[in-house]
Amino acid sequence: MSTAPDRVPRRDTKPPAASGVYLEEGSVVPGATEATRSGPEHATQPMSYDAVLLSGFGGPEGQEDVLPFLRNVTRGRGIPDERLEEVAHHYRAFGGVSPINEQNRDLKRALQTALAQVGLDLPVYWGNRNWAPYLDEALEQAANDGVRTMIAIPTSAYSSYSSCRQYREDWADALEASGLQTTLQIDKVRQFFSHPGFIQPFIDGVQSGVAAAMQAGHDRSAIEVLFSTHSIPTDDAARSGAGLFTDVEGGGYAAQHLAVAEQVVAEAAPGISWQLVYQSRSGPPSQPWLEPDINDALEALEERTAVLIVPLGFVSDHMEVMWDLDTEARETAARLGLWFTRTPTPGTQPDFIDALVDLVQERISGRPTGQRANTTAIGPWFDVCRPGCCENPRLGFKPAIAGLQP
């Protein structure tokens, strides 16, 4: 993928951490609209929004961007550039360009078109947490256009510090950095792991993958499905999911993934052998992270001749999918003599785009909880994050919006 031709001058650093949040008198949720400021688990009051805030992780778009981007990602952890270069080589192998920004440009266009098709005249603003266009830049543009209320869509489906709370912290950072704390109100859609439109692309992928493996001569009993997601520290995992999964190893983060995997298998390939595995581990070896690593799981397979990798934790084919799955896991499988395929991520598939539109519609209409689209035993998830949800014990609580404090 080439560097985006429409690149504009950008800064190298994300907004500074917020010193606080704006809490309107009588509110318990900072920066929130009338529908959510009292802190309901599910907002059933109809709400009129001016715009959608599509929020991405961000990625470099040239070799000179790689280290500044990684410094943004790891800000506050004191990681020297020499260690960052150990990760940088993944990006440098692709010319320093992460595919994630172009994918989010495509997602923004597809979402804008789909909103218009259902009669919702809502502009979509796109901002990233860790690279241009930054979230504060998106908010400034929105405010200049007269926007005052926004519904935010993070490009992450599950509950954890890095996939939910950190987005809420970065929105708080962006509001303070742009001076818009008292001007803009931002709600967020629920974590959408249980929405059938998010799950359907994985069902389709597993059905096609199993069929391809069998066509290649592999018996159904010789096929293993590995549902892969980003590993996180076990301490973070234990605090994920609003404290509802203290009896589950891996907390709400693992429980939500397992619920989705079970649904996919039930619909796509009942009785197929499968497991949940993890990838992209970082941090010191002394710190426990969720396991098994996907490569270790591949090494441990017995009596299997074919493997399907399902990137269950990811919305698009970004760098961690391309490197950790399409490169490293594929190489491991080849060394072990395993037939290998990796199924697609939702990307801009119509079912997924329709799901994002539906998430916006349910908030505009104030749809009752029991009438919301949901296909797992867990969900539909909360509209307003609960107190202390997805705490990062190493970093402590930072200012965040779209949820009850702290």
Side-chain angles (χ1 to χ4, degrees), residues 5-358:
D6 57 346
R7 288 185 68 191
V8 296
R10 82 292 180 271
R11 65 177 195 262
D12 285 347
T13 56
K14 63 190 291 187
S19 59
V21 291
Y22 174 67
L23 194 63
E24 188 170 304
E25 185 177 354
S27 299
V28 294
V29 180
T33 69
E34 182 181 355
T36 59
R37 62 180 57 137
S38 64
E41 291 184 352
H42 296 96
T44 55
Q45 175 182 336
M47 182 66 209
S48 176
Y49 294 102
D50 298 330
V52 173
L53 176 62
L54 181 64
S55 303
F57 186 82
E61 297 194 273
Q63 293 287 14
E64 72 277 12
D65 298 348
V66 175
L67 271 182
F69 160 74
L70 292 174
R71 292 181 192 124
N72 283 334
V73 173
T74 60
R75 186 176 71 183
R77 302 180 197 174
I79 300 177
D81 285 356
E82 307 84 74
R83 284 185 56 195
L84 293 180
E85 277 291 354
E86 296 174 10
V87 177
H89 81 276
H90 300 172
Y91 295 95
R92 299 202 186 286
F94 292 88
V97 181
S98 168
I100 197 168
N101 274 355
E102 194 59 37
Q103 290 164 359
N104 278 331
R105 291 184 183 100
D106 293 340
L107 180 59
K108 177 180 181 292
R109 285 190 290 267
L111 179 57
Q112 187 74 77
T113 298
L115 287 167
Q117 288 173 344
V118 298
L120 289 178
D121 184 21
L122 291 177
V124 179
Y125 295 86
W126 163 50
N128 291 324
R129 288 171 42 200
N130 297 298
W131 201 247
Y134 292 103
L135 285 165
D136 61 316
E137 295 171 332
L139 296 186
E140 289 171 357
Q141 182 62 60
N144 289 338
D145 292 341
V147 171
R148 295 297 177 265
T149 58
M150 307 186 81
I151 181 75
I153 301 177
T155 49
S156 183
Y158 301 90
S159 297
S160 74
Y161 174 71
S162 57
S163 59
C164 182
R165 185 178 179 93
Q166 201 166 15
Y167 278 93
R168 299 197 295 113
E169 292 177 353
D170 285 348
W171 293 331
D173 297 347
L175 282 172
E176 183 172 286
S178 59
L180 295 170
Q181 286 181 311
T182 62
T183 301
L184 279 179
Q185 297 173 337
I186 303 175
D187 293 337
K188 67 177 287 292
V189 300
R190 59 183 164 104
Q191 298 303 103
F192 49 79
F193 62 91
S194 67
H195 197 291
F198 171 70
I199 297 175
Q200 190 61 49
F202 296 115
I203 294 172
D204 296 341
V206 170
Q207 287 176 332
S208 298
V210 170
M214 294 181 68
Q215 187 173 10
H218 302 275
D219 188 84
R220 188 181 175 90
S221 63
I223 301 171
E224 186 81 7
V225 179
L226 299 182
F227 291 99
S228 188
T229 190
H230 204 301
S231 185
I232 61 175
T234 56
D235 281 350
D236 291 359
R239 291 168 172 82
S240 64
L244 300 179
F245 302 93
T246 55
D247 59 337
V248 178
E249 185 176 358
Y253 183 72
Q256 291 170 358
H257 281 84
L258 288 168
V260 176
E262 288 168 357
Q263 185 67 27
V264 171
V265 169
E267 294 196 38
I272 204 79
S273 179
W274 67 273
Q275 56 183 299
L276 178 64
V277 300
Y278 300 93
Q279 63 177 87
S280 312
R281 183 212 152 96
S282 59
S286 59
Q287 183 182 45
W289 283 54
L290 293 179
E291 297 177 337
D293 176 79
I294 186 170
N295 294 287
D296 293 338
L298 287 167
E299 295 274 4
L301 288 180
E302 297 180 356
E303 300 180 355
R304 299 287 186 270
T305 59
V307 61
L308 272 66
I309 307 298
V310 184
L312 197 68
F314 306 99
V315 165
S316 65
D317 291 4
H318 55 63
M319 187 58 67
E320 286 167 328
V321 173
M322 293 172 60
W323 183 266
D324 296 346
L325 300 183
D326 293 351
T327 304
E328 290 187 340
R330 183 182 294 274
E331 289 174 354
T332 299
R335 177 171 53 78
L336 296 170
L338 293 168
W339 182 92
F340 175 102
T341 192
R342 194 267 292 171
T343 66
T345 51
T348 57
Q349 295 188 51
D351 286 312
F352 179 51
I353 300 302
D354 289 346
L356 297 183
V357 172
D358 184 61

